[in-house]
Amino acid sequence: MLPHVVVPSILAQFLIPEWRLTGANAGSLAGSYAAGYMLAVPFLATLTDRIDARIVLIAGSALSALATLMFGLFAEGLWSGAALWALAGIGFAGAYMPGLKALTDRLDPGDSSRAVTFYTSSFSLGVGLSFLVSQLVAESFGWRAAFYVTAAGPLAMMFVCLLLKPMTPTPSKGRLLNFGPVFQNRSAMGFILGYGAHCFELYGIRTWLVAFWTFVAAKGGGGTLLTPIAISFAFSILAMPSSVLGNEVALRVGRRRALTTIMFASAAVALLIGICADGSPWLLLPLILLYAITVPADSGALTAGMAMSANPENRGATMAVHSTVGFGFSALGAWAVGAALDAAGGPHVASAWLPAFGVLAAGILLGPVALAWSRTASANHQAIQK
């Protein structure tokens, strides 16, 4: 995870002024990682139904390290940067869902819900470290050095893979890229589409959080404890316990009910931040920290719901669709927030942040719609069968 948000971390301070990027350009550059991931994950995640996911994980980690290093060495503008960052996203496509498959293949069925939630929550810890390391290195040694240093992270993952016990998955029937059974699984598709709404909001705020707090700090003089580095790191670290607790609540009160409540709460907090964007950093700080809790609180419950709803013989294909939808919406979220900022005057204008956060709120509100559709469709299907 160490290279994961290097580009969003250095956008505001380094890449936007040096490469003269608009908001939409910057969002597209950051989103190219998710776009590369989206294009590759259907094949790579589904492949884990045929071969040991550990093998895919090793190859993906190697590509992630190489592409991150190449960005630091060769990226010179929007197009070269987007191409190399998309390549890094392809590498991550061979790491994240194949890593989850490697985990679930080695678990008893009863262990899956909490184990999947801890796995997805560790994603947030990795993002926090990525924000922290990349910004500290970039400020001390230049932005290219941030890519050299973070490229070491996937190399460590390769070493861990070598320690995993080899395992051959149960042979899967049918074509490799056979997603028909996944689309017919209404319960799983509800969680998958909800995950897409979650990713739209999550990647949108991750891409623009440093830029937003740079604006807040410059306007309000928030002091050393309110630097973009501190805020982005805290935002990511809070996501880990939030995701775990969100899943625990879902286990107790019902998954769809908990997810719907969380998503509505997150949309409300996003709108409140946009309304107060011109306020004091001390007013915005608790709102941002609250948003850091609401944004990821649905992540573990959505992914666990998908994994538990998937048919065992095509779990890899279900994970592939889950990731494809999620990271497709991630790329869209990063671009949409940047486009909203451009249309409203740019990230240095306080009034532009209301439509930006409004876009995030609108994105996450698609989640309850997807969950309601899934529940209604599943109920109708069961009634027809009876």
Side-chain angles (χ1 to χ4, degrees):
M1 290 296 303
L2 202 56
H4 192 71
V5 289
V6 183
V7 168
S9 295
I10 64 174
L11 265 179
Q13 186 175 356
F14 297 98
L15 298 186
I16 288 177
E18 183 173 329
W19 291 353
R20 298 182 179 180
L21 302 176
T22 65
N25 289 158
S28 298
L29 174 61
S32 63
Y33 187 91
Y37 182 103
M38 176 187 68
L39 294 174
V41 76
F43 173 76
L44 294 176
T46 310
L47 187 62
T48 63
D49 284 331
R50 308 299 180 98
I51 66 174
D52 189 352
R54 184 181 70 121
I55 298 173
V56 181
L57 184 51
I58 291 173
S61 298
L63 179 58
S64 177
L66 177 62
T68 303
L69 181 63
M70 289 174 64
F71 192 108
L73 290 171
F74 302 118
E76 295 292 346
L78 173 62
W79 295 110
S80 61
L84 290 170
W85 202 226
L87 188 63
I90 292 173
F92 189 61
Y96 183 46
M97 278 295 145
L100 179 58
K101 182 64 160 51
L103 171 68
T104 55
D105 282 347
R106 290 162 174 80
L107 291 174
D108 294 328
D111 297 332
S112 61
S113 180
R114 287 190 172 91
V116 169
T117 298
F118 277 113
Y119 180 89
T120 56
S121 298
S122 69
F123 189 110
S124 301
L125 177 61
V127 170
L129 291 174
S130 182
F131 267 124
L132 180 64
V133 172
S134 56
Q135 289 179 78
L136 289 175
V137 173
E139 288 190 358
S140 299
F141 304 103
W143 67 263
R144 292 187 184 276
F147 290 90
Y148 307 150
V149 171
T150 56
L155 297 179
M157 185 70 249
M158 294 175 64
F159 173 76
V160 173
C161 290
L162 297 176
L163 303 178
L164 292 176
K165 181 181 177 181
M167 175 174 289
T168 301
T170 303
S172 178
K173 299 177 182 179
R175 305 187 310 273
L176 176 62
L177 298 177
N178 181 20
F179 300 116
V182 179
F183 296 131
Q184 293 168 12
N185 185 340
R186 302 287 187 132
S187 180
M189 283 305 302
F191 292 114
I192 289 170
L193 294 173
Y195 182 69
H198 157 77
C199 288
F200 180 97
E201 179 187 40
L202 177 65
Y203 209 77
I205 186 58
R206 278 183 177 161
T207 299
W208 291 100
L209 177 61
V210 172
F212 174 64
W213 204 260
T214 298
F215 160 77
V216 171
K219 179 181 63 66
T224 57
L225 293 179
L226 296 179
T227 63
I229 294 177
I231 293 299
S232 58
F233 180 70
F235 192 97
S236 300
I237 294 301
L238 283 173
M240 187 170 186
S242 174
S243 182
V244 173
L245 290 174
N247 185 65
E248 292 298 317
V249 171
L251 291 173
R252 285 164 173 77
V253 306
R255 199 170 295 276
R256 285 184 173 85
R257 178 187 297 178
L259 287 169
T260 298
T261 302
I262 290 168
M263 289 170 172
F264 273 110
S266 195
V269 176
L271 289 174
L272 193 55
I273 293 172
I275 292 169
C276 299
D278 198 29
S280 163
W282 298 106
L283 169 64
L284 288 163
L285 177 61
L287 291 176
I288 281 291
L289 294 180
L290 179 60
Y291 200 42
I293 294 171
T294 62
V295 169
D298 53 1
S299 176
L302 285 165
T303 303
M306 173 276 299
M308 295 171 66
S309 300
N311 297 318
E313 63 271 17
N314 52 36
R315 183 174 286 120
T318 306
M319 291 179 177
V321 174
H322 186 75
S323 266
T324 301
V325 170
F327 278 76
F329 274 81
S330 294
L332 181 61
W335 171 83
V337 175
L341 287 169
D342 283 345
H348 302 296
V349 178
S351 60
W353 288 104
L354 177 55
F357 279 96
V359 165
L360 296 176
I364 191 58
L365 287 177
L366 295 175
V369 175
L371 293 170
W373 164 82
S374 172
R375 179 171 53 195
T376 303
S378 297
N380 292 340
H381 180 69
Q382 291 174 3
I384 291 172
Q385 285 185 326
K386 290 180 181 180

